[in-house]
Amino acid sequence: MEDFVKNDVTDQFDQENVLDKIVMEETGLLESDSDKTDDDTQGADESMESLMDMYEESFKRFEEGEVVTGKIISVDKDHVLVDIGYKSEGQIRIQEFKDEQGNIDVKVDDPVEVMVEFWDEEEEVVILSKEKAAKVKIWEEIKKAHDENGTVEGIILSRVKGGFSVDIGVAAFLPGSQADLRPIRNLDEMVGQTFTFKILKYNRKRSNIVLSRRAILEEERDAVRAATLESIHEGKVVNGIVKNITEYGVFVDLGGVDGLLHITDISWGRVKHPSELFSVGDEISVKVLGLDAEKERVSLGMKQLTEDPWASAMEKYAVDSHVTGKVVSLTDYGAFVELEEGIEGLIHVSEMSWTRKIRHPSKMVSVGEEVDAVVLDIKPENRRISLGMKQVVPNPWDVIGEKYPVGTIIEGKIKNITDFGLFIGIDEGIDGLVHISDISWTKRIKHPSEIYKKGDVVQAKVLDIEKESERFSLGIKQMEPDPWETVAERYEVGKEITGTVTNITDFGVFVELEEGIEGLVHVSEISKEKIKTPAGKFNVGDLITAKVMNINGDERRIGLSIKRLEAEDDQSLLSEYIDNMAPPTSSFGELLRENLQEKLREDDDDDAEK
């Protein structure tokens, strides 16, 4: 047994010597002693040492799971042979070199990183894996990136519950909250894109990796923010990107720092909503109005980049000057007109028309319409300009009196009817009023619509023109003489007349003598007997005969009496009786005759006084 072991060791030693000799011969290091010099001897020793290292390395056995670098030495249909510096080549399945289309992407002498999967002792074959080596390397990179706060690159494959699936060489998870600085509206837009990520945590055993893109963006933002805050100051003009638009202003990204451009600082003119002027992503120039570095608040202005137009408004818009502008807003009291960006004037409703009473400016102008006006007043310190639209044309009331002097007969259409009169169109925008009392001399009119309707053409006489109060008074009844001026000639006092009862009241009876002319029989003049009311004694439409007692043309009254007419009849009968009496035969008869005659004279005097 000892001899066997001794012989085996001797054989092994002899084999090694033989191998050494072969190696040296192959490399040309084995020379005759006579040919050697000192330098040659030293070089040969170094080469020998290197070759011995290589030789020993060939017998080194790699651990399973270890990753090494080898060189491809051959490729067949099933395997790829790789020289990893061991006495036996390693094998890799050909499938690991096929791409998605099934093409083999490998050639002899290519370097390749592989992992030793296991040793086949019986077959003396080493099984290798390129794919597993790649994964081992990836996990090493993941560990390094996590430990050293580094980054990895990956492509987002798909959306999954709560976030995304990312390929960084191995499958990883990107939570939705870590995908960006702000919530993403359309998550599908990120699928297929390549980004850089940080490793929040990982577990190799469970193949669990959690990524964050937001952490990288926050670091970049913080760095840019710090640089931006150091570079800006009040009064500096900077460029920024519109980041968000609200009803009260625009948020502008200045480079890691958001500044607010308030709606009042966008333009010297009127801005209804910032979205009218900006869109998200627009690049704009703004001026820094205020800066709070501690709170990282920046106030911005855009209108401050240009001169305030009110600074020169007094020279440009002098009082009485004619201007043209666009109506930008309507209120109950007037219209705002933009003369230029930043300068608006107000046309009050009272300054829109010389003749029309405007209840709302929309009756005269509309938003967007261009109008001509006259500057009535300007106060730059209050940023106010008062404008007048009616002043552009002459005031028709200045010439209406010359065109239609008092007494002129005009003809026009009835434009409106009210309970107090008729409005007749005269000139453009000027209406004349016929008061209800000036429609007829004699008729009692409760409402003008009893006689006229809108659109009727009528004639009237100009009675009065008041320019200050803009009143034009007309009369229809003045077109004919006043019948009351001659009523005394037609109805003398004491004359007996006949008329029709038109109205019965408690104080008397109204009797129409002619159209529009009425007389009153007072209740005390109806009968010798005292009566409380004439109701029941007369009816409307009855014909009545009475005596004219008095006439008052100024007050348009005629007093009538039935009682006096009856008394006259009685006196006439008495007088006739006296005249037909026989001559008195005694003093008593003479005295009776004288008393009757005296009574008749007193009655005549009473009638004359009334």
Side-chain angles (χ1 to χ4, degrees), residues 160-175:
V160 296
K161 183 178 181 181
F164 302 91
S165 174
V166 183
D167 180 10
I168 59 172
V170 293
F173 174 65
L174 173 64

Side-chain angles (χ1 to χ4, degrees), residues 160-402:
V160 296
K161 183 178 181 181
F164 302 91
S165 174
V166 183
D167 180 10
I168 59 172
V170 293
F173 174 65
L174 173 64
S177 61
Q178 297 296 319
D180 207 327
L181 293 173
R182 290 178 176 79
I184 301 172
R185 293 182 179 178
N186 188 0
L187 298 177
D188 292 330
E189 291 181 353
M190 298 191 70
V191 176
Q193 296 192 50
T194 301
F195 299 102
T196 302
F197 305 95
K198 285 222 179 227
I199 308 294
L200 293 184
K201 61 181 180 178
Y202 73 97
N203 188 317
R204 184 169 181 177
K205 291 182 179 180
R206 297 182 179 179
S207 296
N208 184 17
I209 306 170
V210 179
L211 305 176
S212 174
R213 177 172 172 260
R214 177 175 180 172
I216 296 176
L217 297 177
E218 287 177 344
E219 289 179 359
E220 294 174 352
R221 181 190 62 186
D222 293 343
V224 174
R225 178 190 289 123
T228 300
L229 290 173
E230 290 181 3
S231 65
I232 63 176
H233 55 79
E234 290 186 13
K236 183 176 181 180
V237 178
V238 295
N239 292 329
I241 305 296
V242 175
K243 192 173 183 179
N244 190 24
I245 300 175
T246 68
E247 61 182 5
Y248 57 86
V250 176
F251 287 94
V252 182
D253 184 1
L254 305 177
V257 177
D258 290 347
L260 174 61
L261 174 60
H262 197 270
I263 188 171
T264 57
D265 290 311
I266 292 176
S267 171
W268 292 111
R270 183 187 295 262
V271 179
K272 291 183 179 180
H273 197 282
S275 60
E276 297 176 348
L277 302 176
F278 305 103
S279 299
V280 173
D282 288 350
E283 183 175 353
I284 61 175
S285 295
V286 289
K287 189 173 186 178
V288 179
L289 304 181
L291 173 62
D292 187 339
E294 292 182 1
K295 296 182 179 180
E296 297 184 356
R297 291 181 179 177
V298 185
S299 299
L300 305 174
M302 180 175 279
K303 71 180 184 182
Q304 289 78 4
L305 298 176
T306 59
E307 183 184 4
D308 185 354
W310 283 98
S312 57
M314 183 66 80
E315 293 75 22
K316 295 176 66 175
Y317 305 106
V319 174
D320 293 331
S321 62
H322 286 243
V323 295
T324 300
K326 182 175 69 174
V327 178
V328 293
S329 178
L330 298 179
T331 66
D332 291 340
Y333 53 86
F336 285 93
V337 178
E338 184 182 56
L339 304 180
E340 64 175 88
E341 184 177 341
I343 295 185
E344 294 180 7
L346 172 65
I347 303 178
H348 195 270
V349 287
S350 61
E351 302 297 339
M352 289 187 170
S353 174
W354 290 112
T355 56
R356 294 175 57 186
K357 291 184 178 179
I358 311 300
R359 295 185 178 181
H360 195 275
S362 60
K363 302 295 182 181
M364 293 290 291
V365 296
S366 57
V367 174
E369 179 183 352
E370 283 198 357
V371 296
D372 295 325
V374 173
V375 178
L376 304 181
D377 187 26
I378 179 170
K379 295 180 180 178
E381 64 278 7
N382 297 329
R383 309 175 82 86
R384 291 181 180 177
I385 294 181
S386 297
L387 302 174
M389 199 163 68
K390 68 184 183 183
Q391 288 79 3
V392 175
V393 296
N395 185 355
W397 287 98
D398 291 338
V399 296
I400 197 71
E402 299 176 2

Side-chain angles (χ1 to χ4, degrees), residues 556-602:
R556 299 175 180 271
R557 293 179 180 177
I558 298 178
L560 303 175
S561 176
I562 297 174
K563 180 178 72 174
R564 299 293 176 178
L565 185 60
E566 291 176 351
E568 282 186 359
D569 292 341
D570 292 343
Q571 289 177 358
S572 178
L573 292 173
L574 181 59
S575 177
E576 183 180 351
Y577 171 74
I578 294 173
D579 291 341
N580 293 329
M581 285 180 62
T585 57
S586 64
S587 59
F588 175 75
E590 184 65 27
L591 181 61
L592 177 60
R593 186 183 184 92
E594 291 177 357
N595 287 338
L596 289 173
Q597 291 176 343
E598 180 65 24
K599 176 63 176 173
L600 288 174
R601 286 194 297 270
E602 289 177 357

Side-chain angles (χ1 to χ4, degrees), residues 118-176:
F118 64 92
W119 297 82
D120 189 339
E121 298 287 352
E122 295 180 359
E123 300 293 333
E124 293 186 353
V125 175
V126 182
I127 304 302
L128 307 175
S129 173
K130 182 173 73 75
E131 293 177 352
K132 292 184 178 180
K135 289 186 178 180
V136 169
K137 188 176 180 181
I138 290 171
W139 279 103
E140 290 175 353
E141 292 177 354
I142 290 172
K143 181 179 184 303
K144 182 179 179 182
H146 178 268
D147 295 343
E148 298 178 3
N149 196 30
T151 61
V152 295
E153 191 175 85
I155 181 171
I156 296 179
L157 299 177
S158 62
R159 286 181 58 186
V160 296
K161 183 178 181 181
F164 302 91
S165 174
V166 183
D167 180 10
I168 59 172
V170 293
F173 174 65
L174 173 64

